[in-house]
Amino acid sequence: MTEEIRPLIEAKGIRKVYRLGDTDLEILRGVDLTIREGEFVAIMGPSGSGKSTLMHVLGLLDRPTAGKYYIGGKEVLCLSDEETAFLRSKTIGFVFQQFNLLPRMGATDNVALPLIYSRTPNRQAVAEKNLAHVGLSDRLHHQPNQLSGGQQQRVAIARALVNNPKIIFADEPTGNLASAQADEVMRMLTGFNKAGITVVMVTHEPDIAAWANRVIHIKDGQITEDVTKPDAPPLPPAKKHQHITRGSAYLTPAEFTEHFMSALRALASNKMRSFLTMLGVIIGVSSIVAMMALGRGAQKSIEERLSSLGANLITVMPGFSQMRGVSGARTSRFTLEDAKTIADNKQLIARVDPNVNGNAQVVFGPNNTNTSILGATADYAAMRNAQPVYGRFFTAAEDERLEKVAVVGQTVVNNIFGAANPIGQTIKISHKNFRVIGLLPAKGSSGFQDQDDMIIIPLNTAMKRSLGRKYVNTIWIEAKDTAKIDPAIDYITALMRKRHRIQQGKDNDFNVMNMSNIREMVESTTKTMSLLLGVIAGISLLVGGIGIMNIMLVSVSERTREIGLRKAIGATRTAILTQFLIEASSLSIVGGGIGIALGAGIAVALSKLAHWTLIVTASSVIMSVGFSASVGILFGFWPAKKASELSPIEALRYE
Ligand code: ADP
Ligand code: MG
């Protein structure tokens, strides 16, 4: 079949019916219209006659209820959304009565906007050239609110022309202008028509319609009159049209950059709102980073401390019995006798060191501090890897004699001695004089606790003179060698059950653990703690995500007209979706960035001020970046999808 030569625009039997409640409102009732390339057509008619509706159908902003429509001989009503957008972008330019320029954007950027969707390079230069055509070379960076109405409409005309369209549709282009400015706009449209662009203009003013070469009257949705002026210049012969090929749906880097910039612009224009929106993400991410740093630090220092102890150590601690019901729970208590009996098994046990813990006020001269007091035997230093760095540890004989001697930790020295040498000094512990005989090696902090803020005194002194205790808190036991750890644990367990008269079948009311038990326990505790903190942080991220979704929904409805305009000048669904997704993720990524900085700051501050060990790990940073980005994409998707599915004309009409 040979292709016939067709006019630029052919509409046949176009009908448009709006359904209002249960009545059908027929606005266009079978419009047949043919427009040839190069024509300048005015569509006239009283208000409400359907002029704008017809123009929206012809401009592919709206779909007719029935009829056939060809542009350049190609049937266009069957095209997909993407294809229609591409056709609008390449073939059609719009000029609206309300200008529809984007605020907070310079004239050049407004004119350059359609070039993004048509994927044209050198956008700034092309836009500037088009602004020169409408005589606005001196207003390139003025924003719409810094321009007069006439100037704004000229910017809009430059925008309509920027993609070299075949047709310009102008709906009451002078409706908002004073007559001098209106004439200026009409002169321009006439000029562009002379240069070969087909112009279809809607107006209700006869003197504006007089600029056109052909005037079509429309009344109640039907063409009543179609007159071409006798003095109209001749049209070039109708010719074959090139079919417009479909554009790619993929995002170009230029589009991505533009969306990113417009996202930042949107965020910057609403600084307070953006910040409040990000707050949830900031709190979530900073707590993830800080909490994980804390958990990691605590784990590391506890592990270090444990590994500095001998491998053959066993501890016996009071524990709650596992019997049903809280009422059955009873804490066991250990006496010095318990410890001595354990030590009697010379085959399995090398040394035993029962400990008591307490707190006391310590005074030296004018200085005082509150610190932990540990009562221990002379074996403590060897068993726990704590030989004094200065002076000496106390002896078993001193312990027997209840002597008031003390070995002090470095934090205590810093707190009360300052630069003075502590060895040989007398301090008051709970109002009793003690002689300082040694300085403990530094152990650092284990997470929350400063291991150097302690004083060790002989066990008997502590129990009978200082703390006044009948029971010990912990018994440390050293097995003869590694092979004897397990038999020793069995022996101690059996012995304690017997001494505490625990009936057969009942659970222990104490815990016997070796070092690897303790390490496992510490690990599982820190894991549980991190998990718990992670869940809390995750919930706050979720709340942050909902905040983002909320604000994006507000933003979509605030910018509905902008979305309509972008679609009119060629944006596809994908482009709008991407734009709003990028906006939502920028919110969460910027929030995430601030959160990471804040969380790391908190970690550093805590380790400086409170001397806790905190380790900011790369994994926590990567995890929270990933989290916050997905929060933005996940929660931004719905508003973005909503925006992308708006019909261009409904969006443009949105108030
Ligand atoms: P005009 O000739 O003044 O440009 P329009 O084409 O804008 O007229 O509108 C024609 C008629 O269609 C008007 O009566 C208007 O109320 C009606 N109309 C326009 N859009 C809608 C809509 N979305 N739903 C219902 N009626 C509509
Ligand atoms: Mg109208």
Side-chain angles (χ1 to χ4, degrees):
M1 200 183 102
T2 54
E3 213 177 331
E4 37 176 332
I5 292 169
R6 310 276 290 263
L8 183 58
I9 278 182
E10 261 183 302
K12 288 182 182 161
I14 298 290
R15 285 160 32 87
K16 180 74 186 177
V17 179
Y18 286 115
R19 219 184 149 78
L20 280 182
D22 43 23
T23 54
D24 280 345
L25 211 61
E26 194 168 14
I27 304 302
L28 297 178
R29 319 158 169 239
V31 173
D32 296 318
L33 181 59
T34 301
I35 296 173
R36 286 175 56 196
E37 190 154 13
E39 283 196 285
F40 187 170
V41 181
I43 298 176
M44 279 203 73
S47 179
S49 54
K51 306 182 296 289
S52 294
T53 308
L54 177 62
M55 201 203 86
H56 296 150
V57 168
L58 297 179
L60 299 176
L61 294 176
D62 205 358
R63 294 188 146 262
T65 315
K68 288 219 172 278
Y69 184 30
Y70 305 85
I71 295 180
K74 187 179 166 78
E75 163 120 58
V76 290
L77 294 179
C78 56
L79 297 180
S80 73
D81 175 79
E82 308 275 310
E83 287 167 327
T84 310
F86 195 67
L87 192 59
R88 272 201 298 268
S89 154
K90 289 286 187 194
T91 317
I92 300 171
F94 289 100
V95 178
F96 300 96
Q97 181 174 351
Q98 300 89 345
F99 321 137
N100 283 335
L101 299 177
L102 295 192
R104 292 185 295 274
M105 235 197 220
T108 315
D109 287 335
N110 262 295
V111 173
L113 210 54
L115 297 171
I116 293 160
Y117 302 116
S118 65
R119 284 128 197 227
T120 310
N122 299 327
R123 288 182 281 139
Q124 290 295 313
V126 176
E128 284 174 17
K129 203 183 82 202
N130 277 273
L131 276 168
H133 285 329
V134 296
L136 285 175
S137 291
D138 55 342
R139 294 285 189 277
L140 296 180
H141 302 294
H142 284 58
Q143 299 189 352
N145 59 2
Q146 300 163 327
L147 295 171
S148 75
Q151 288 169 330
Q152 289 187 58
Q153 193 61 304
R154 276 147 67 193
V155 174
I157 291 174
R159 182 180 64 190
L161 285 167
V162 78
N163 270 325
N164 299 315
K166 286 190 182 313
I167 320 159
I168 285 185
F169 287 102
D171 191 352
E172 310 268 10
T174 58
N176 283 7
L177 302 180
S179 71
Q181 296 178 320
D183 284 354
E184 178 74 39
V185 163
M186 288 318 298
R187 246 196 310 282
M188 279 179 181
L189 285 178
T190 310
F192 293 124
N193 172 248
K194 289 219 170 86
I197 296 173
T198 310
V199 177
V200 179
M201 173 184 71
V202 162
T203 183
H204 63 274
E205 295 172 69
D207 47 338
I208 294 295
W211 288 81
N213 298 322
R214 176 181 169 193
V215 181
I216 295 173
H217 283 264
I218 180 169
K219 200 181 167 203
D220 294 335
Q222 279 178 320
I223 292 179
T224 53
E225 218 185 303
D226 185 346
V227 183
T228 304
K229 279 190 199 160
D231 60 343
L235 294 172
K239 59 180 183 218
K240 264 186 162 177
H241 296 279
Q242 273 189 333
H243 282 185
I244 293 117
T245 46
R246 170 197 191 141
S248 127
Y250 298 108
L251 203 66
T252 59
E255 266 178 281
F256 189 87
T257 314
E258 149 65 23
H259 293 334
F260 191 70
M261 294 313 289
S262 91
L264 292 187
R265 251 198 315 270
L267 299 189
S269 70
N270 264 317
K271 286 192 192 68
M272 195 56 180
R273 188 168 94 178
S274 308
F275 175 73
L276 291 176
T277 308
M278 289 186 295
L279 208 54
V281 175
I282 293 175
I283 292 171
V285 168
S286 59
S287 43
I288 288 183
V289 171
M291 292 306 159
M292 283 180 71
L294 188 63
R296 194 67 199 90
Q299 196 178 346
K300 184 162 174 271
S301 54
I302 291 170
E303 270 168 11
E304 268 173 16
R305 215 177 122 233
L306 287 177
S307 61
S308 75
L309 297 176
N312 299 343
L313 287 181
I314 298 166
T315 64
V316 181
M317 271 183 281
F320 291 101
S321 77
Q322 305 290 306
M323 286 193 306
R324 275 130 277 189
V326 183
S327 59
R330 175 175 70 91
T331 311
S332 60
R333 304 212 255 189
F334 298 101
T335 57
L336 278 180
E337 266 313 296
D338 285 327
K340 282 208 184 86
T341 335
I342 293 171
D344 284 345
N345 190 332
K346 300 283 184 237
Q347 242 117 52
L348 295 174
I349 311 294
R351 292 182 277 214
V352 176
D353 171 35
N355 288 171
V356 291
N357 310 94
N359 271 287
Q361 195 70 19
V362 178
V363 182
F364 175 70
N367 304 329
N368 72 89
T369 181
N370 194 296
T371 185
S372 321
I373 305 295
L374 178 76
T377 64
D379 286 331
Y380 177 95
M383 285 171 70
R384 306 282 287 279
N385 203 4
Q387 290 297 346
V389 285
Y390 288 108
R392 60 176 182 88
F393 211 80
F394 47 78
T395 61
E398 284 168 322
D399 186 15
E400 291 274 291
R401 294 195 299 266
L402 277 61
E403 283 198 15
K404 291 182 288 177
V405 288
V407 187
V408 296
Q410 311 225 329
T411 303
V412 177
V413 172
N414 294 341
N415 286 346
I416 59 171
F417 290 103
N421 177 9
I423 311 292
Q425 305 284 4
T426 300
I427 53 175
K428 277 192 194 307
I429 302 177
S430 300
H431 311 293
K432 294 200 173 75
N433 285 332
F434 278 72
R435 188 161 45 88
V436 176
I437 58 169
L439 175 61
L440 288 166
K443 299 250 166 170
S445 74
S446 73
F448 314 94
Q449 215 185 340
D450 181 358
Q451 300 297 309
D452 298 321
D453 191 6
M454 60 143 39
I455 294 179
I456 304 180
I457 59 177
L459 178 65
N460 285 303
T461 316
M463 291 180 77
K464 289 160 196 162
R465 303 183 78 158
S466 185
L467 298 172
R469 299 278 177 82
K470 284 204 293 228
Y471 301 97
V472 298
N473 298 97
T474 317
I475 305 175
W476 290 79
I477 298 140
E478 194 182 305
K480 271 259 159 79
D481 55 58
T482 314
K484 287 182 176 148
I485 294 174
D486 287 337
I489 289 175
D490 292 342
Y491 155 71
I492 295 163
T493 309
L495 184 67
M496 288 301 114
R497 284 181 70 91
K498 194 170 134 216
R499 288 182 63 84
H500 289 204
R501 296 194 182 82
I502 298 170
Q503 287 159 26
Q504 211 158 21
K506 295 257 167 93
D507 290 324
N508 296 341
D509 59 356
F510 54 87
N511 289 312
V512 184
M513 284 186 289
N514 66 13
M515 282 299 111
S516 58
N517 296 148
I518 292 177
R519 193 162 298 149
E520 278 162 25
M521 200 182 71
V522 165
E523 267 163 27
S524 88
T525 315
T526 38
K527 261 196 201 117
T528 315
M529 196 178 81
S530 313
L531 195 73
L532 207 72
L533 295 171
V535 168
I536 293 169
I539 289 172
S540 119
L541 265 185
L542 195 77
V543 172
I546 292 169
I548 288 178
M549 178 161 69
N550 212 355
I551 229 63
M552 289 311 295
L553 283 173
V554 170
S555 168
V556 166
S557 64
E558 267 180 0
R559 287 156 67 197
T560 303
R561 283 176 69 92
E562 175 190 326
I563 295 165
L565 186 266
R566 283 177 184 269
K567 288 200 151 187
I569 61 176
T572 59
R573 239 177 240 177
T574 318
I576 300 288
L577 184 76
T578 316
Q579 180 191 343
F580 279 85
L581 270 185
I582 290 176
E583 254 175 58
S585 353
S586 310
L587 270 174
S588 68
I589 290 171
V590 172
I594 298 175
I596 289 170
L598 192 67
I602 290 172
V604 170
L606 279 180
S607 54
K608 283 260 153 62
L609 299 176
H611 300 291
W612 294 355
T613 313
L614 289 103
I615 301 167
V616 178
T617 54
S619 67
S620 71
V621 171
I622 292 168
M623 199 175 85
S624 38
V625 168
F627 257 173
S628 49
S630 20
V631 157
I633 290 171
L634 209 69
F635 286 92
F637 192 78
W638 185 46
K641 189 164 180 297
K642 226 179 115 171
S644 74
E645 283 169 355
L646 287 171
S647 117
I649 197 59
E650 270 164 35
L652 270 174
R653 282 222 196 95
Y654 185 86
E655 293 301 330

